[in-house]
Each structure stands twice: as C-alpha cells, then as structure tokens.
Amino acid sequence: MNKIDIAVIDYGMGNLRSVAKALEHVAPDKSVVVTSDPAEVAQAERIVFPGQGAMPDCMRELDARGLRETVLDAAKKKPFLGICIGLQMLFDESEEGNAKGLGFLEGSVKRFPSEMKDSHGDKLKVPHMGWNQVYQQDSSHPMWQGIADGERFYYVHSYYVQADDGAISSGYSDYPQRFTSAIATKNVFAVQFHPEKSAAAGLQLLRNFVNWTPTL
Amino acid sequence: MLAKRIIPCLDVTDGRVVKGINFLELRDAGDPVEIARRYDEQGADELTFLDITASSDNRGLILHIIEQVASQVFIPLTVGGGVREVEDVRRLLNAGADKVSINTTAVLNPQVVADAASRFGSQCIVVAIDAKKVDNQPHEWEVFTHGGRKATGLDAVKWAEYMASLGAGELLVTSMDRDGTKIGFNNPLNRAISDAVEVPIIASGGVGNLQHLVDGIKLGGADAVLAASIFHYGEYTVQQAKAYMQQHGIEVR
C-alpha cells in the first residue's frame, strides 16, 4: 500500500470532493485519499472527518462501513480534523433525530431555536447559512496561525455543539447567541464551518492542519 | 454576525458561459474558470451556474466546468438547470457542486426534492421558484415553469412553504416580471416568501443598480442577492456592491 498522508473518511454521505480538492490545493506534494477502507484510515498520517446531511444517517452509514472504531482510534492519536457533522458526531448525542454520537467528547448537539431575531428585529433563518465571524478563544493554537481573529468562514448548519467542558472550545460565532464553532483538544481540531468553502481563510486553516504537529 | 451574501450568476450553454461575455474584454469570453476566479477574487460569497443548454446531448458539459471551477475556486458553488431526477443531483454534487438548484422538476415531481434532500441533506438542495404576478386569482403571485412560459396555478408563497417542508434548504426566488428589467427586485414577493419560511431566500431578477441590492435585503427580507448583468458587463464589481451595502448598514463579508 502506498503511503497515505491524509485520509478523508468517506462514509457515503455527501460530497467529499470539495474537501479533497482543497487539501490537494494547499498540499500538492501530499497524498490525499478519500476512503471508506478502515485499513487505509488506520495507515494514514492525518485524518479528515467531514460530514453533510443528517446526523442519524451519518452515524448509521459510519457503522454500516465498520468505521466507528477506526475513527475513534484515529481521534485518540493522529492529527484529526472534524468538519461540520464531523464535529457534531464526536459528541455524545444530538437533538437531530435523537441520534447517539461517537461519545468521544462530552456534550450534546442542539438545534437553533425557531423565531430567532437579530438586533434590528429581522428574522434569523435556519439553517445558519453563509459567512460568519469566528472569534478565536485560543489564538496561539497552531490551527489558527495566519488567520485573523474574527475572520469570516462559510457555514451551513441547523445544529451546533455544546461541550460540557467549555475549555475545549477554541472558537465561537454569534447567531444571535454565542455558539462553539471550533473545538481543540490534544490532536483533535474540529470546526462547524466549512474550511474547504471558506476561500483564503479556509485554505489557511487546511494548510495549518497539514503542517500541524500536535503535542499528545 | 452572519453576512448577507452576494451571488453572481453565470448562465452556461453548451459548456460556455454566455452572459459572461464582456464585449469590451473578449479575453474573458466563455472561460468559466477565469470568470469564476475573477468573482472569487472580487469577494463573491458564492457562485451560481445555470445550465441553459437546450440539447440534452450537451448537458454533460456543465459537469466539466464545475469540476474545473471546483478545483480552483474554494467558495460554495450552486448549479441548476436541467435537473430531472435524484441521479442528476448526485452527478452535479460529485462534479464539485455544493448545492443543486431544482426548478421545473420540483413542480412536475415534488418527490424529487424530498428524495434528494433526504439522500444528500437539505443543505445542498435549493428550490428555484419563478413567480409572476397574476390577476383574477386568489393569490397574488403564481409559480411558472419552463423559463416562465407555463403557468402552474400554484400560489408562489404556499409553494415556497411546501418546498421548505419537503426539505429544500434554501429558496431562489426569481420574479419573472422583473427579470431583465433592471428596475429592482420584486420586494413584496420576496418579503412574503421570506416571512413565510424559515429557510434562507435568495432574491433574483431585476437588479439594475446597487441600491436595488440594498432594497432586496432591507425591503425584501432576502438573505442573499443574486445578480448577473450588473457584474458581467463590468458596471459594478462585487467589491463596489459590498462597499455600497456596508455604507447602508448591511453586514457583508
């Protein structure tokens, strides 16, 4: 088997091409593989765990491919980047279909309430879709290097994570209340927004991931 | 806070961008990747590609364009036109589209919207609604299909609610009365739909100047504004549009 630098975990939910293309763009000399093969994931140096769609379906498809233990194992020891549902699935449970998550992180996934209003009294839509500011809570983290505090990233989601341990929150956004949009713990960094769709700032975050050497 | 989005729209036929042709700058003519990159550099928040290819033989050409653009432009890409079944949605997503817009098919077979949303997630399913003002009807605006030629009898506002309930994650609302007129969006139509649904709406049809974009958001309640000609013909850049919106108190990226 050829050396795999970055494995993008494919469990059959949605379009992973964007993630892979963006990684290839920032790391042209690395091998990027989109895979559902536990052996390839186990062998890869770095793991990207993306996700789209509904969390109950994502969990079911992950299990159908026998990837649960592989993902948990990788999250314990390798540079690991979760994106969108890939962040949410790390937690205990979600209000979306009352799905159980992987339980790697303590906390739950909540839905934005209906009838939210902004400061002008205008209705705030769900899904939270578009470019919002991300405020860094730990700007010294290697994953935030070269990214301005308050930089905008592209979001599309109706659910957000609520960690029991507030200390793992590494970034937040407001819609209109504050919610955690990035978590950092040891070798794991996971974001609610889509770095692969967030223009220069997103590419910088992916570049940081490719170069990241976490301290375990 | 969340920024309001500006979305340039590119019409594609037989694999070429047609509205992108700027007669003063022919170097841009028809090169979708170059045009997409230019808008990206100007700060476009997303791009929409509308496949208006008449012949089904050449419809696959859009896939090539999307593949090329998606390898170089890292902002969300929406693709619409000619989507007839869930398999078409899959093909476009695999080519690199982030969202797929469904229009006539949604009317002919609403189940396609429900199936596509449940298979790929609501976040990537946009329903495009072409609406026209009608007289002597219980409703004020009616859904039209086939590029505005066929009336459906459907109330546009109720239709919007139904599409959102089937799983559409976003609605692209085009006023057929305003499209191409440059007199501004149909703000009462957009406001009625925006107030009726929980999902974001994109206002489309009628933009002639930058104040129209501001009005689309402030009066029409749109979450995003889509425009073609004001950008394609170099009248305004996306930066100029954003600067103007910001001066008028609208949050932009």
Side-chain angles (χ1 to χ4, degrees):
Chain A
M1 204 183 278
N2 291 327
K3 180 172 168 283
I4 299 173
D5 294 313
I6 306 164
V8 178
I9 299 180
D10 178 10
Y11 48 93
M13 290 297 292
N15 166 28
L16 305 181
R17 189 188 164 89
S18 300
V19 180
K21 284 286 160 205
L23 287 164
E24 284 165 7
H25 188 82
V26 299
D29 54 337
K30 303 283 184 194
S31 61
V32 178
V33 174
V34 176
T35 181
S36 58
D37 177 357
E40 286 196 327
V41 176
Q43 198 240 103
E45 192 181 302
R46 291 167 196 276
I47 305 299
V48 176
F49 186 43
Q52 285 183 346
M55 186 157 141
D57 299 335
C58 288
M59 286 302 302
R60 191 189 61 232
E61 295 301 318
L62 191 72
D63 279 333
R65 286 164 180 75
L67 284 164
R68 175 186 287 256
E69 292 309 318
T70 313
V71 170
L72 283 169
D73 193 50
K76 282 175 199 144
K77 56 187 195 201
K78 292 178 186 180
F80 185 103
L81 176 63
I83 299 174
C84 193
I85 310 284
L87 159 70
Q88 297 180 5
M89 288 164 77
L90 295 176
F91 283 82
D92 291 322
E93 59 194 356
S94 174
E95 286 182 0
E96 187 171 24
N98 289 317
K100 289 275 175 236
L102 292 167
F104 179 75
L105 298 172
E106 289 177 353
S108 57
V109 184
K110 310 272 187 198
R111 191 181 194 278
F112 285 114
S114 299
E115 308 296 321
M116 296 188 299
K117 302 257 196 257
D118 68 10
S119 53
H120 308 289
D122 287 330
K123 182 166 162 180
L124 291 176
K125 304 298 186 66
V126 181
H128 171 232
M129 186 187 286
W131 299 77
N132 204 342
Q133 286 134 330
V134 175
Y135 299 99
Q136 300 165 10
Q137 288 162 289
D138 175 16
S139 55
S140 65
H141 196 289
M143 287 293 289
W144 291 128
Q145 294 320 295
I147 299 170
D149 190 21
E151 183 63 77
R152 288 182 188 274
F153 287 84
Y154 185 81
Y155 284 92
V156 49
H157 64 124
S158 300
Y159 295 79
Y160 61 93
V161 299
Q162 208 166 60
D164 290 354
D165 175 8
I168 67 169
S169 186
S170 186
Y172 67 86
S173 296
D174 297 318
Y175 194 65
Q177 86 275 30
R178 183 166 295 185
F179 70 90
T180 290
S181 56
I183 62 102
T185 172
K186 296 179 190 163
N187 54 307
V188 173
F189 197 88
V191 293
Q192 181 60 63
F193 51 81
H194 289 271
E196 76 280 12
K197 286 288 144 187
S198 295
L203 295 177
Q204 181 61 37
L205 190 121
L206 294 175
R207 202 173 285 120
N208 290 344
F209 176 66
V210 173
N211 296 322
W212 183 29
T213 311
T215 39
L216 283 168
Chain B
M1 270 308 286
L2 185 65
K4 299 294 182 182
R5 291 169 280 151
I6 295 187
I7 308 175
C9 178
L10 310 174
D11 284 355
V12 177
T13 183
D14 297 326
R16 293 176 62 84
V17 172
V18 286
K19 274 193 191 168
I21 297 168
N22 179 335
F23 293 105
L24 299 174
E25 290 179 82
L26 284 175
R27 65 187 170 84
D28 288 334
D31 182 351
V33 178
E34 193 179 327
I35 295 168
R37 285 173 71 150
R38 189 178 62 210
Y39 286 136
D40 175 31
E41 281 159 17
Q42 288 182 8
D45 297 308
E46 297 185 18
L47 293 173
T48 289
F49 292 84
L50 196 56
D51 188 4
I52 55 171
T53 304
S55 137
S56 56
D57 296 348
N58 288 338
R59 208 162 279 132
L61 293 172
I62 188 83
L63 297 174
H64 269 302
I65 293 180
I66 300 307
E67 277 172 17
Q68 282 181 287
V69 173
S71 306
Q72 298 183 45
V73 174
F74 299 99
I75 57 176
L77 308 175
T78 300
V79 186
V83 175
R84 286 178 176 75
E85 51 189 18
V86 172
E87 182 57 22
D88 294 329
V89 176
R90 193 191 63 81
R91 263 196 294 272
L92 289 166
L93 293 175
N94 281 350
D98 299 288
K99 308 184 207 178
V100 172
S101 171
I102 306 176
N103 188 337
T104 297
T105 296
V107 174
L108 300 177
N109 184 5
Q111 192 59 34
V112 171
V113 173
D115 290 347
S118 89
R119 176 141 167 226
F120 306 111
S122 291
Q123 83 288 338
C124 66
I125 303 302
V126 181
V127 169
I129 300 175
D130 292 345
K132 234 187 233 188
K133 193 161 171 59
V134 286
D135 296 322
N136 308 318
Q137 295 287 336
H139 47 263
E140 192 170 356
W141 299 284
E142 186 161 318
V143 178
F144 279 68
T145 59
H146 299 87
R149 294 190 304 275
K150 279 194 189 172
T152 62
L154 296 162
D155 175 345
V157 178
K158 288 212 175 76
W159 179 247
E161 290 180 88
Y162 180 49
M163 288 296 104
S165 77
L166 288 188
E170 192 172 33
L171 302 172
L172 168 59
V173 183
T174 302
S175 163
M176 302 308 290
D177 303 304
R178 298 298 178 97
D179 208 24
T181 62
K182 293 188 161 266
I183 59 170
F185 294 120
N186 187 334
N187 294 314
L189 164 70
N190 293 331
R191 173 58 75 179
I193 291 180
S194 186
D195 285 349
V197 298
E198 199 184 14
V199 299
I201 78 155
I202 306 166
S204 158
V207 176
N209 60 47
L210 302 182
Q211 183 60 37
H212 292 155
L213 302 178
V214 170
D215 292 344
I217 284 162
K218 289 194 166 176
L219 305 177
D223 302 281
V225 285
L226 181 134
S229 57
I230 63 162
F231 297 132
H232 295 325
Y233 298 109
E235 290 167 52
Y236 303 100
T237 63
V238 177
Q239 282 118 316
Q240 286 172 325
K242 288 192 164 178
Y244 188 89
M245 288 163 74
Q246 192 162 31
Q247 281 162 24
H248 290 75
I250 294 172
E251 186 103 12
V252 292
R253 173 178 155 235

